[in-house]
Amino acid sequence: MTWERELDALFLRIGHRFGRADLRRRMRDYVRGLLAPVSRKNGWQVAEFAGHRTPDGFQRLLNSANWNTDDVRDDLQAYVAEHLGEAGGVLVIDDTGFVKKGTTSAGVQRQYSGTAGRTENCQIGVFAAYATTRGRALVDRELYLPKSWTDDRERCRAAKVPDERGFATKGALAKRLVLRALASDLPLAWVAADSAYGQEGRFRRLIEQSGLGYVLAVPKSQQVFGPRIDYLFAQAPGEAWELMSCGDGAKGPRLYHWAALELRAVVDFDYRGDIPVRRRWALARRSISKPDEIAYYLAYAPRETTVADLVRIAGMRWQIEECFQAAKNECGLDQYEVRRYPGWYRHITLAMLAHAYLTVTAAAAAEKGAAGTLPAPWFRSPWQKSAGSWHFASARTTKPAGRFARTL
């Protein structure tokens, strides 16, 4: 299938969400503009590429036209499931910042942005990416609204924030993304996230109740049945650390020393009747060149899962960073000019759709043995019930490689 046919098929899939023919044409022009080789995907440049005299039509599409972004998001998830879906699919949760000027953009305030690495005047979006061996794509989003916004209902109304939208932590927004993914067509087996989400017990419990596995980063102060996780691994014997790759990066395999510690079971969640079906783990990832740099994880998995499997899932968390980079560089994810709440969701959803199209096109080309990208003429580059002891485990098996005495 050529890139033109694939894009037309995608437009056909979502076209019924836009009631009028002129609105469908405007949506198509906007998505094509997001995919186009313009220097910046703002209203004027996208309008110029599309042959529009002004960006007014696109502003109406994003701010006032009658269409439902959640319906398009559902179609996007079905599209990704159809083309990238695998039984071992991983849902990756993370947030990213959108630096903005002024005080009127919905949710904007001075707050820490991991994207910028410092406190900035910005908006924060919490996102979910779906990742398999076939590719990865952004599949859901929520705009974080600080209390400075939700406590000021007049300010919210001016930005068209719905009256029912109250304050929700980023962790609460992440739970919404997980629940919606479970209700979607996406085949899921795992959830991965950084420590901002992994440290929340209620977030972990939701995933356990859903029947999914997880590998979630946690801070070094995370308590594990009492002791801090860094204290546990500080006592690990030298043979507990194994050199493993958690996936390929831009410079080849990402190699670290890893140690795994099996944790005691929680009967209410880890057993089916009297039969143990799940295991709990603590993981540590130590830098080769800087041994003092250690990252920590909690994991929850089927009993047959090996430590090497857990390491691989931990490495999948970087997939969402690559999604952010590609969606911002290629599809204008962060180059919007809308200020109101509905406009943010509409632009972000269409940019996610454009990014998913690039991912699916590249995956189809790879499956056919073609080049890694399939350029269009106007693209620059589409692109246990435990006995009470801690057990350090080998990467190649679920059985303990050694025993580190620690009575709980």
Side-chain angles (χ1 to χ4, degrees), residues 243-262:
L243 183 65
M244 286 184 280
S245 169
C246 57
D248 290 336
K251 299 180 181 179
R254 294 195 298 263
L255 293 170
Y256 297 90
H257 285 121
W258 293 81
L261 185 64
E262 186 176 358

Side-chain angles (χ1 to χ4, degrees), residues 239-245 258 260 281 303-311 392-401:
E239 62 269 21
W241 297 91
E242 295 187 61
L243 183 65
M244 286 184 280
S245 169
W258 293 81
W281 300 86
R303 286 190 67 81
E304 64 273 14
T305 304
T306 66
V307 175
D309 293 329
L310 299 178
V311 168
F392 286 98
S394 165
R396 291 168 292 280
T397 176
T398 59
K399 296 180 180 179

Side-chain angles (χ1 to χ4, degrees), residues 328-348:
K328 289 179 179 182
N329 291 344
E330 302 290 342
C331 307
L333 184 75
D334 60 343
Q335 295 176 21
Y336 54 88
E337 295 176 325
V338 293
R339 292 188 175 90
R340 294 176 176 177
Y341 182 89
W344 186 89
Y345 277 89
R346 290 181 172 195
H347 168 83
I348 294 295

